[in-house]
Amino acid sequence: MTKTIRTSVCIIGSGPGGLLLSQLLAGQGIETVLIDRQDEAHIEGRIRAGVLEQGTVDALEEAGVAERLHREGLQHDGFELAFDGDRHRIDLQALTGCSVTVYGQTEVTRDLFASRHQQAQQFFFNAQDVRPVSLKSDRPEVHFVCDGRPYIVSCDFVAGCDGFHGVSRQAIPQDVLRTFERVYPFGWLGILVDRPPASHELIYANHARGFALASMRSETRSRYYVQCGVGDTVDDWSDERFWEEFAARLGPDAARGLQTGPSFEKSIAPLRSFVAEPMRYGRLFLAGDAAHIVPPTGAKGLNLAVADVRLLARALSEHYTNHNDHYIETYSETVLRRVWKVERFSWQLSNLMHQFPENTAFEKRMQRAEFDYLCSSEAASRTIAENYVGLPLE
Ligand code: APR
Ligand code: PHB
């Protein structure tokens, strides 16, 4: 017996994007239902990046979930780029007047879940066969099965926040959808280790042996990455091999502060740039990884999802509160303008900081010349800084 539920906005995906959208809409008195194919523990357990733009912090404050972030987050006023051991600090505060906050995406997701539960949000976890239908009508539906029972959510709008592997983007007809992609010829191997960070700020390093990133989760827990082969598995990377490569790529000066130890999390992620257009189809709106992927080099994945959600929450709130559909009608073109700028920055920084197998000696020299230019030009450093702290919402 199918159970039919009526709501205003049905959100597919309960990652940070879907959770934040639900939270922001609830603040405007707009009811939502959240559907996810995983359970809460799985969603919270995903290890992701941890650098928040000021705009993301602002959104979490507006959502009323920034209390722990302000207590535990680490404010960073700059970060370093290193090339074969030479280091250059990008002084975010001096160049832009802004900072970033280091606070794991896992923590953001936990804080959002806690608040949604406090407000008795309706969730469906472990949902199967999720299908958004009637998207061109004014009564779209989302069909799914949960605990063996069929459900239909009848709603005004569907938000596709179901990530790169979700179903929402697939619901846009192939003759409407346009996709753009660049797959990078390497991956990132990441570890977590309970040792103080090698440096108090992040260090992105390009070395002849490959890229490395020294990041952190707190003053006692570090998050480190090395560029690895696309076919590599974690079994190819013992801790010993990791530490040897990581220290060499960081360079002797930066590695001086490195405290090695046993990793308790180790995983490999591929790198891609991806954009799907349009981000709206009838009553379906895409936000976050459902519509775009950025290489993690610029720390933009979560921040871009949050920016999409802020624009989508505004569009839906204006519809319900002021019967104004201007932001609904312009959502896709507005959000994509910013998506492409962030894709550009993430692609540019990835091209600058990694060893590409196909690069000629000339192209390697171009990478070094770009680094040397950054070191000698405040204007060049400012372009990196203003993208890193986050572009204006529109
Ligand atoms: N039906 C229901 N839920 C689904 C489906 C589906 N068919 N497919 C995927 N999902 C769920 C996933 O289980 C996940 O919880 O959608 C959610 C998508 O969450 P994210 O992938 O985290 O995407 P988003 O919310 O846009 O956040 C983007 O999260 O993964 C990181 O690097 C990414 O930092 C970026 C941020
Ligand atoms: C992280 O801390 O996981 C991190 C930080 C910066 C990045 C990518 C990942 O660019």
Side-chain angles (χ1 to χ4, degrees):
M1 175 69 175
T2 299
K3 182 171 172 57
T4 298
I5 296 164
R6 169 85 187 93
T7 193
S8 298
V9 181
C10 184
I11 302 173
I12 305 176
S14 190
L19 286 166
L20 179 60
L21 179 61
S22 175
Q23 185 80 358
L24 291 174
L25 292 178
Q28 300 295 315
I30 300 165
E31 185 193 68
T32 60
V33 166
L34 275 155
I35 303 167
D36 203 293
R37 70 178 172 187
Q38 302 287 358
D39 62 26
E40 183 170 348
H42 180 97
I43 298 166
E44 284 190 9
R46 284 195 291 249
I47 303 294
R48 291 289 191 274
V51 175
L52 307 186
E53 297 173 357
Q54 185 56 48
T56 296
V57 174
D58 294 345
L60 295 171
E61 283 174 348
E62 180 190 342
V65 293
E67 188 268 333
R68 189 161 72 101
L69 159 61
H70 286 309
R71 198 171 64 243
E72 298 177 10
L74 303 173
Q75 178 174 320
H76 281 212
D77 296 336
F79 68 93
E80 289 189 25
L81 297 174
F83 238 84
D84 292 327
D86 297 330
R87 299 165 70 175
H88 172 61
R89 182 171 187 265
I90 300 288
D91 188 337
L92 298 174
Q93 264 298 335
L95 292 164
T96 69
C98 296
S99 303
V100 293
T101 302
V102 171
Y103 187 71
Q105 176 173 315
T106 303
E107 309 316 319
V108 172
T109 305
R110 284 200 182 119
D111 295 340
L112 284 164
F113 264 124
S115 190
R116 298 313 305 131
H117 286 313
Q118 266 178 349
Q119 298 177 44
Q121 170 62 42
Q122 187 172 20
F123 287 99
F124 288 94
F125 294 116
N126 299 310
Q128 299 170 318
D129 191 20
V130 180
R131 289 178 295 115
V133 301
S134 308
L135 297 172
K136 283 295 206 179
S137 78
D138 59 3
R139 303 295 314 144
E141 296 177 347
V142 178
H143 297 206
F144 63 96
V145 175
C146 206
D147 297 332
R149 181 173 191 179
Y151 287 82
I152 293 176
V153 174
S154 173
C155 51
D156 300 325
F157 301 101
V158 178
C161 301
D162 48 347
F164 184 66
H165 301 289
V167 293
S168 301
R169 187 175 69 248
Q170 315 305 335
I172 300 178
Q174 285 306 306
D175 62 344
V176 173
L177 191 71
R178 297 180 303 281
T179 60
F180 308 82
E181 185 171 50
R182 155 97 159 122
V183 177
Y184 295 84
F186 42 76
W188 278 20
L189 171 79
I191 70 163
L192 282 171
V193 61
D194 277 335
R195 291 289 187 279
S199 171
H200 69 290
E201 292 181 330
L202 272 63
I203 303 174
Y204 295 78
N206 185 346
H207 185 278
R209 294 166 71 149
F211 168 84
L213 169 60
S215 184
M216 64 201 71
R217 287 295 174 268
S218 70
E219 288 165 356
T220 59
R221 177 166 292 181
S222 298
R223 177 64 165 170
Y224 295 142
Y225 299 92
V226 293
Q227 171 182 346
C228 64
V230 277
D232 284 10
T233 70
V234 291
D235 295 336
D236 298 322
W237 286 84
S238 66
D239 279 2
E240 290 67 31
R241 181 186 177 194
F242 179 89
W243 290 123
E244 181 186 353
E245 278 301 320
F246 186 70
R249 297 178 187 190
L250 228 48
D253 189 26
R256 197 165 295 118
L258 181 60
Q259 295 184 42
T260 65
S263 65
F264 67 86
E265 195 276 343
K266 189 179 286 179
S267 54
I268 290 179
L271 271 70
R272 81 174 72 236
S273 300
F274 174 85
V275 178
E277 296 181 350
M279 287 178 58
R280 175 199 176 194
Y281 178 72
R283 293 286 180 122
L284 169 68
F285 297 87
L286 303 183
D289 278 16
H292 43 68
I293 295 289
V294 284
T297 324
K300 293 303 173 192
L302 174 60
N303 292 299
L304 198 48
V306 168
D308 292 356
V309 162
R310 296 180 77 186
L311 292 171
L312 182 52
R314 178 182 67 176
L316 294 171
S317 300
E318 276 296 302
H319 168 83
Y320 284 106
T321 310
N322 300 321
H323 308 293
N324 167 17
D325 281 356
H326 169 72
Y327 295 108
I328 278 182
E329 297 304 328
T330 57
Y331 171 76
S332 185
E333 67 179 284
T334 301
V335 74
L336 279 166
R337 254 198 312 274
R338 191 175 185 282
V339 164
W340 278 111
K341 290 178 190 173
V342 175
E343 288 281 349
R344 183 208 66 82
F345 171 68
S346 303
W347 165 81
Q348 177 200 39
L349 199 57
S350 300
N351 285 342
L352 173 63
M353 297 309 294
H354 289 83
Q355 291 292 309
F356 286 76
E358 72 276 12
N359 269 7
T360 62
F362 175 81
E363 283 153 337
K364 290 179 192 287
R365 278 286 200 272
M366 284 295 99
Q367 284 185 316
R368 178 69 209 206
E370 175 77 21
F371 174 75
D372 291 339
Y373 175 50
L374 283 170
C375 293
S376 62
S377 163
E378 184 176 300
S381 289
R382 181 169 287 111
T383 65
I384 296 287
E386 70 178 14
N387 281 277
Y388 198 84
V389 299
L391 298 175
L393 206 48
E394 60 171 320

